[in-house]
């Protein structure tokens, strides 16, 4: 039984559904992108393109942290991947154990990263659903679009049809929880300027009437289900033209933008300094090439992680490797697993001052194109725009790949054409971008991540992978979900170590979990469903 089937079983067994009259919104754009692997993913290539987010001098002080000197040989928890997911797992563990006096010894945690710290899709592509974590390499946070926005009602009917109304509501709640919590964390630390957090909005442009009607139907369905959609503002074509210079109708929802690499760097430092009860180490340029069991009785540890620098023994392993997950977990190398998908982005200069563009984040074309106006520009300065997408351009290479060392010229040409077409007069035709790069995202067939214990392909109980966990497969929409999903796995590990139950939060969609066994100790509500 595969992980995707476990997701379906979990929804059938545990989720109370209501009969709702709803049609699934068009999935043609997503299906055109989704191209399963015929074999396991490769490990991250060593010569990835350089992204805007990682290029500024001094922006990545942890880039080569722990890449030389002695390798940590033994740890309680080994996390593979140093992106938003892997670092968030470490952060949540540090908080959970920070005030725990029950442990006789310090909890040891080590993060292993194949390339520079946070050098994968987290740093390159945080975009729109349908558009995230790496192996042993960051969840591509060093390569994303800089969006930190909950979808709100977008995709609501699709989730209702697949999982039921309660689960669809939770899919909204997890994104609101994650984006609000991250923003609160940044503000409480007083580092809004340091991580370029911009509070604002996301403007979704509708290129066709069909898109606009679908979005409004989603809005009405979510509203009828009790989702708070009051902040959504529907704009006519003339209103959009007046505000932005684009001649399309749109909807505005609350949104934020952020510098992903700077955020993850801050999270790591918080985790490292949270408590003397937790020891956190980082080893970059230390790819994990195999995870092998240690014979029972031969060692108190359960797993041995092999790297070119030596091996690390540990009891618990977290695969925060997103697109590259099947390199170490071959059962995920299929259409029901995680498919590595390349995204491409450019940094291009506008032809008009920043005051004419506003700090809104944007998406269009079913979310397949997405862009932000970089903050910090003086009112009269021409701002830099980070634009990603165009993967479905005719003639582009759309198959599964882990190669982010190259850019697709067909996609690049379309990205160069896009903004001058959408905003006439605000971008020069034929202008070359200041930077162009790619990153690898991890797609799943149902567009949801796998969260929880790693399972064997044919074994529901997952005994052969005891102690291994996965948080991966965000389908290009990791920034509003990964931090929360990492929290769940940290709670599971803490429960195993302490022997105590863990609390299932109200905002968690149950269909993200890899097995119903995750819920055995969770409290139940009056419907028999975990609270």
């Amino acid at each position: 039984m595969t992980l995707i089937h476990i997701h379906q079983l979990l929804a059938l067994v545990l989720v109370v559904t209501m009969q709702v009259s709803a049609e699934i919104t068009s999935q043609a754009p997503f299906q055109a992108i989704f191209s399963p692997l015929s074999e396991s993913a490769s490990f991250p290539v060593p010569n990835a393109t350089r992204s805007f987010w990682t290029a500024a001098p001094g922006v990545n002080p942890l880039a080569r942290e722990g890449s030389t000197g002695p390798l940590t040989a033994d740890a309680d928890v080994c996390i593979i991947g140093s992106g938003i997911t892997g670092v968030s797992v470490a952060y949540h563990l540090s908080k959970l154990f920070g005030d725990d006096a029950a442990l006789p010894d310090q909890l040891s945690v080590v993060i292993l990263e194949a390339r520079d710290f946070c050098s994968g899709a987290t740093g390159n592509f945080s975009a729109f659903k349908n558009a995230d974590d790496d192996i042993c390499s960051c969840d591509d946070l060093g390569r994303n679009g800089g969006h930190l926005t909950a979808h709100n009602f977008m995709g609501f009917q699709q989730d209702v049809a697949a999982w039921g109304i309660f689960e669809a509501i939770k899919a909204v709640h997890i994104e609101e929880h994650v984006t609000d919590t991250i923003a609160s964390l940044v503000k409480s630390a007083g580092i809004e300027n340091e991580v370029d957090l911009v509070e604002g909005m996301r403007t979704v442009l509708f290129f066709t009437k069909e898109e606009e009607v679908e979005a409004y139907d989603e809005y009405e369905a979510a509203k009828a289900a009790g989702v708070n959609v009051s902040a959504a503002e529907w704009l006519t074509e003339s209103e959009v033209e007046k505000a932005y210079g684009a001649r399309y109708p749109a909807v505005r929802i609350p949104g934020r933008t952020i510098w992903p690499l700077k955020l993850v760097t801050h999270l790591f430092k918080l985790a490292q300094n949270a408590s003397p009860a937790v020891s956190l180490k980082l080893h970059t340029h230390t790819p994990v090439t195999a995870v092998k069991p240690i014979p029972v009785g031969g060692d108190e540890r359960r797993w041995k992680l092999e790297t070119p620098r030596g091996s690390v023994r540990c009891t618990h392993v977290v695969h925060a490797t997103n697109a590259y997950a099947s390199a170490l977990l071959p059962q995920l190398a299929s259409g029901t697993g995680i498919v590595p998908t390349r995204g491409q982005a450019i940094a291009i200069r506008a032809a008009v001052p920043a005051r004419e563009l506003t700090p809104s984040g944007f998406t269009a074309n079913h979310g397949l194109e997405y862009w932000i106006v970089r903050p910090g520009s003086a009112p009269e300065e021409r701002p830099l725009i980070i634009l990603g997408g165009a993967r479905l351009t005719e003639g582009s290479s759309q198959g599964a790949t882990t190669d982010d060392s190259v850019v697709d010229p067909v996609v690049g040409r379309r990205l160069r054409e896009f903004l001058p077409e959408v905003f006439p007069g605000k971008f020069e035709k034929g202008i070359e971008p200041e930077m162009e790069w790619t990153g690898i995202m991890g797609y799943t067939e149902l567009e949801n991540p796998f969260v929880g214990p790693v399972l064997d392909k044919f074994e529901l109980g997952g005994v052969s992978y005891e102690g291994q966990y996965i948080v991966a497969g965000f389908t290009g929409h990791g920034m509003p979900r990964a931090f929360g999903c990492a929290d769940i796995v940290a709670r599971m590990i803490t429960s195993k170590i302490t022997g105590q139950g863990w609390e299932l939060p109200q905002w968690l969609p149950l269909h993200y979990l890899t097995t119903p066994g995750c819920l055995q100790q969770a409290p139940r509500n009056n419907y028999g469903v975990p609270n």
Side-chain angles (χ1 to χ4, degrees), residues 2-15:
T2 61
L3 288 178
I4 202 84
H5 295 143
I6 300 297
H7 278 219
Q8 294 166 339
L9 175 63
L10 183 64
L12 289 172
V13 174
L14 294 177
V15 180

Side-chain angles (χ1 to χ4, degrees), residues 496-516:
K496 285 290 186 181
I497 293 173
T498 63
Q500 302 172 1
W502 61 281
E503 181 182 354
L504 188 70
Q506 296 274 358
W507 45 259
L508 174 67
L510 304 185
H511 60 274
Y512 287 9
L513 300 176
T514 57
T515 169

Side-chain angles (χ1 to χ4, degrees), residues 81-88 113 118 122 133 137-141 264 320:
S82 69
I84 183 68
T85 304
V87 172
S88 292
E113 165 64 48
C118 196
T122 301
D133 275 69
S137 184
C138 154
D139 29 286
D140 250 3
L141 245 163
V264 177

Side-chain angles (χ1 to χ4, degrees), residues 350-369:
V352 296
R355 55 180 167 76
E356 293 190 30
L357 294 173
T358 81
S360 177
F362 291 86
T363 72
N365 191 23
H366 294 280
L368 295 174
E369 278 74 50

Side-chain angles (χ1 to χ4, degrees), residues 294-350:
I294 296 174
V296 176
D299 196 302
E300 64 174 333
R301 298 304 187 191
R302 189 178 290 132
W303 300 102
K304 180 173 73 171
L305 277 59
E306 295 185 345
T307 83
R309 299 176 58 198
S311 61
V312 183
R313 302 189 320 277
C314 56
T315 305
H316 306 278
V317 180
V318 179
H319 296 262
T321 52
N322 211 42
Y324 301 88
S326 64
L328 294 178
L329 299 171
Q331 63 267 45
L332 293 175
S334 70
T336 56
I338 298 176
V339 178
T341 304
R342 185 167 59 208
Q344 192 160 320
I346 61 173
I348 194 163
R349 191 72 60 177

Side-chain angles (χ1 to χ4, degrees), residues 125 342-348 368-369 387-398 406-421 428-438:
F125 293 97
R342 185 167 59 208
Q344 192 160 320
I346 61 173
I348 194 163
L368 295 174
E369 278 74 50
L387 166 68
R391 289 186 308 283
L392 297 189
T393 304
E394 184 177 353
S396 65
S397 54
Q398 298 173 19
V406 298
V407 297
D408 186 320
V410 175
V411 172
R413 182 167 62 250
R414 181 59 193 145
L415 288 174
R416 287 161 172 78
E417 297 168 346
F418 183 80
L419 290 174
E421 291 178 1
E428 296 178 28
K429 292 183 178 180
I431 190 173
E432 281 297 300
E434 298 186 13
M435 295 195 74
E436 184 171 17
W437 65 95
T438 54

